[in-house]
Every structure is written in C-alpha cells, then in structure tokens.
Amino acid sequence: MALKLGVDRRTFLMAAGAAALSPRRTRAQSSLGTLTWVEEGGLWFRELPDGPAMKIATAAGWHSPRFSPSGQWIGIQDRDDKQLVVDRDGRSGSVERLSPRDRALLNAENVFAPDGQRYVFSREIPGKEEDSRVGQLCLASLAAPDREPRVLVSDEKGGKQAYAWSRDGKSIVYWDGNDWGASPWADGMPLKSVNVASGMIRDLHVTALDHEDLLDLAPESAGNKLAVTGGDGRETWADKHVSIVDLDTGVSRRAMPDDIASVCPAWPPDGSHIACSAGPDANIAYNRANAGLSYRAVLPNGKVETRTIKPDSNINIAGGEEAHVYLQQRKIWLLDATGRDAPRRLTNDSRYRDEEPLWSRDGGHILFGRMDYDGHKSLWLMDSNGANAAQVCRLQIAEPLEHGDSWFGYYGYTDWRRGFDWRR
C-alpha cells in the first residue's frame, strides 16, 4: 500500500539537512510547525523556526518522509520503496498499526474530498477487446466501505489520475490520459474536471505534467481557481507557463510573459498573489542570443541545408549545458492573482537557482529550494516580500530513476518532496 502523506500542497515540505537558521531569526517566534527530514542515514524532526533538531531513527536509503494526519506517525520509504511508519519517539511500526481511517487517508491512490469522507481513486479494468483495458475514476466513501464505488469517468483511451477536489467539494480535477504508454504521460496530459453530482466533464484547455507540485488550488478566498504549470513536452526549461484556470468556466489566463518559463505556482492563504519559480524560456532565449549564426539542418529528404538562426527561429534545446545555463537563472517571483500588477522578482542571488516556493500558514514567510551550479541543494526561508532570506538546511535529494542528486533531475524537474515534510 502506498502512502499519501502531507495532503495540502500549500504547506512547507522540507528536506534533508540539519537546520541552521540565521541569527536574525533566533529571537522567540510563534511556531511555524514541525519539520521532518532525512539526513546522513537518519530521520530527524524539529519545531520551526528555532527548535532543536532531534534524530529519531537511523537507517540508510530512506526517503520521502511524510506526517500522518494525526501527526504522531511519520511515513517513510526505504531504499526498495517499501512503506514504513515511525512514531515521533522513534519506534518503528507498519501501516497495519494505523487505524483503518488513517490507512485510507494515507493511501496514495485516494484523493479525499473536503468532508474527509468521500474519496476518488483510479483503476484499470479489462476492456471488451483482447488486451484492451479501461481507465476509470471512481468515487467511494469511508462511511460506506462495503458499497460498490461509483464510476465517474471511464474510457479506453488511457488511465485517469486524480489531482484534487475543488474547494467546494463539487468536482474533481484530474489528468485525462489519452495514451497508455509511459512516454506520452511524461510529456503531459490534458487536465479536466468532473462534477460529482451530474457527471459533467469540463475540459480545462491546458496540458500539464503529472507532478502535484506543478499545480495548486486557490484558497476559498480567491474563488474556484487553479494555478497550473501548463505546456506540452517533458522539458521544464522551455514552453512551461503558469496559468490561472477558472474551474467554473474552464477559461485560463497566462500569468507570465511568453518568453519566461515558469513552474511550481503556490497560492498564499489570502489568495492575493501567486509565488512561482521562473527564468528565461531556454528555447526563446537561445534563439535570440544566437541570432545571425549559421547552422546545418537535415531535411526530411536527407539533404543538408545551411540556415541562419533568427530571433523567432524554432530551434529547441535538447538539454546539457545549454539548458543548464538557463535553468540556473530561475528565481522566485510574485504574481498578482488579478493580473493588474506586473510580476515581481523576489530573489536575485546569482549563485543559486531558486525553486519550489511554499507559503507559511500566516502568509508571512516563503520557504523555497536553492541549488548551486554544481547541483548542491539547500532550503531557505524568507519574508513574503523577499527580505531576510536565510538558509534553513542543506538538502540531499536522491532522484528516482537513478538520476542521482544532480542539477538535471528529470528534464529539469526536481522532486523536492522526496526529502522532507512539514506539519502545521
């Protein structure tokens, strides 16, 4: 059974490394919650901002710590991705030790409604034809565990993956797979919503990669909206744009200029702004910087033709150091949710690439990840206006698929959540 811990995207999700706050933050402050992380073969936790770091368990290869809903248990995965749980006193246990309700809430296949009872999950069943299958999105409830789940979405095009319920609990946002292969999914799938009562499906007119930190639901104060990283292709250094989608109408609006690649939007509690990570769109910037240079193009008929790069040429960067240079220019930006005011950059340290902004509960602080050019990661905390940035801890995030702890991640995407969690 997979665990789904740390359900709310708009919480601090923290990572490996012993926390070391700036002296500016040593005075008494109200608690910012409890941090858990994996570092040097151990599981640690501490109260933020200035509580002592305490090592509660020792093990090698652990990753993805997550608090249980009660906060008493911390879910963790070992080097073989086996799910374990450890309590805050360091005693190990198993998923079976949790209550049935906690087990259901921690199941990664379940996406719960605001009422904490209803949930949706994905499943595949055999199709009518041989070797065919049907992808479904199904509704169930903890209040009626023996009742047959109700099918909300079903077709043979591909799998369905739920992201979240709308704040009003009336609909579910999900990725609508149009292919069963892993490679098409890696390039992103269309987002849609389905009304739970009527079954009406709405196309949200945006394609998104299936990483939860690339989307964020607005708080109720901002209306029924979704901030999403849209754009085709798996490369995150180009053709990625933060857009705001009205879930009631399906209408979307880009929040950043087209020549800026922006990812990982995050709403503050009051819904007034959106923080994100953004830098130059690598393809556009490359063509502008190299305008006038010649290159050799291989035509479909096999002939080779010499061409000249123009500012509006359609030359795409494949990766390597060319992409690295532009990824390293990512900073934390603040966007006006209404679109009236121009985007404003909050960070500007040339030594780092800044990513994954996350808001404190009171909206007064932003936690974000930093990476130097060699791929060394750290976590920083700053005031919501960008002032008083201070390092919280060093990070050691082992990427899946054996990419290692490097700058590249998965086509420029780093899963910062593999190292940390924070409970408010």
Side-chain angles (χ1 to χ4, degrees), residues 355-412:
E355 300 193 356
E356 196 81 7
L358 300 165
W359 294 84
S360 62
R361 177 182 288 276
D362 63 2
H365 301 83
I366 296 175
L367 183 81
F368 62 101
R370 281 192 147 167
M371 189 186 307
D372 66 19
Y373 205 84
D374 294 324
H376 302 122
K377 301 176 182 68
S378 56
L379 199 67
W380 291 61
L381 185 68
M382 66 181 175
D383 297 340
S384 59
N385 63 0
N388 298 323
Q391 182 174 314
V392 175
C393 60
R394 295 185 301 274
L395 310 184
Q396 299 168 338
I397 304 175
E399 296 289 352
L401 303 179
E402 299 182 354
H403 287 291
D405 191 15
S406 73
W407 67 267
F408 187 77
Y410 187 74
Y411 292 90

Side-chain angles (χ1 to χ4, degrees), residues 57-375:
T58 300
W62 285 10
H63 65 89
S64 303
R66 294 292 182 269
F67 281 108
S68 69
S70 67
Q72 177 62 31
W73 294 94
I74 299 171
I76 195 77
Q77 296 183 41
D78 65 15
R79 64 171 73 251
D80 297 319
D81 291 334
K82 180 182 178 180
Q83 305 291 339
L84 309 169
V85 292
V86 177
D87 71 14
R88 291 176 58 150
D89 295 324
R91 293 170 298 196
S92 61
S94 66
V95 175
E96 285 67 29
R97 290 187 62 181
L98 305 181
S99 68
R101 178 177 171 79
D102 270 355
R103 287 202 299 270
L105 287 169
L106 300 182
N107 186 348
E109 298 302 317
N110 298 337
V111 177
F112 273 79
D115 60 22
Q117 292 290 323
R118 296 173 299 162
Y119 62 94
V120 294
F121 63 95
S122 303
R123 71 180 180 186
E124 299 175 10
I125 61 174
K128 295 179 180 179
E129 305 294 331
E130 186 177 357
D131 296 328
S132 67
R133 46 187 165 165
V134 176
Q136 295 184 337
L137 200 64
C138 302
L139 173 68
S141 175
L142 294 177
D146 298 326
R147 182 181 300 169
E148 180 67 18
R150 179 159 66 93
V151 177
L152 299 176
V153 181
S154 181
D155 65 50
E156 298 181 354
K157 294 185 301 180
K160 316 301 171 190
Q161 182 177 331
Y163 164 65
W165 289 65
S166 59
R167 296 292 179 199
D168 58 13
K170 294 180 179 180
S171 60
I172 299 142
V173 177
Y174 68 100
W175 285 274
D176 184 31
N178 53 27
D179 196 294
W180 290 102
S183 185
W185 269 90
D187 289 324
M189 286 293 171
L191 281 177
K192 295 184 179 180
S193 67
V194 56
N195 184 283
V196 174
S198 67
M200 186 186 76
I201 295 174
R202 186 187 301 279
D203 190 345
L204 300 181
H205 304 290
V206 62
T207 297
L209 301 176
D210 62 334
H211 304 301
E212 291 190 3
D213 58 345
L214 297 183
L215 299 83
D216 195 26
L217 278 176
E220 291 184 11
S221 58
N224 197 23
K225 295 180 174 62
L226 173 73
V228 56
T229 307
D232 296 324
R234 65 194 67 184
E235 299 85 0
T236 61
W237 49 76
D239 192 29
K240 295 293 174 287
H241 308 282
V242 169
S243 295
I244 301 174
V245 180
D246 187 321
L247 295 177
D248 292 328
T249 64
V251 174
S252 65
R253 172 180 60 83
R254 284 191 180 183
M256 292 285 275
D258 289 347
D259 60 354
I260 299 293
S262 49
V263 298
C264 294
W267 296 85
D270 66 4
S272 60
H273 294 79
I274 297 173
C276 72
S277 174
D281 183 293
N283 293 341
I284 295 175
Y286 178 86
N287 290 323
R288 289 176 177 174
N290 293 281
L293 298 180
S294 298
Y295 68 100
R296 299 179 67 186
V298 179
L299 305 181
N301 60 10
K303 293 183 179 180
V304 178
E305 183 176 278
T306 299
R307 296 180 177 177
T308 301
I309 298 176
K310 300 178 181 180
D312 59 351
S313 292
N314 188 26
I315 298 176
N316 297 330
I317 292 177
E321 280 303 304
E322 290 175 341
H324 192 186
V325 169
Y326 294 109
L327 281 172
Q328 201 62 29
Q329 298 179 52
R330 285 182 179 171
K331 305 299 175 190
I332 304 302
W333 287 70
L334 193 65
L335 316 177
D336 179 2
T338 67
R340 289 191 294 264
D341 296 333
R344 179 164 61 94
R345 186 166 58 187
L346 295 181
T347 61
N348 197 30
D349 193 324
S350 61
R351 296 173 297 173
Y352 300 106
R353 153 185 167 189
D354 298 336
E355 300 193 356
E356 196 81 7
L358 300 165
W359 294 84
S360 62
R361 177 182 288 276
D362 63 2
H365 301 83
I366 296 175
L367 183 81
F368 62 101
R370 281 192 147 167
M371 189 186 307
D372 66 19
Y373 205 84
D374 294 324

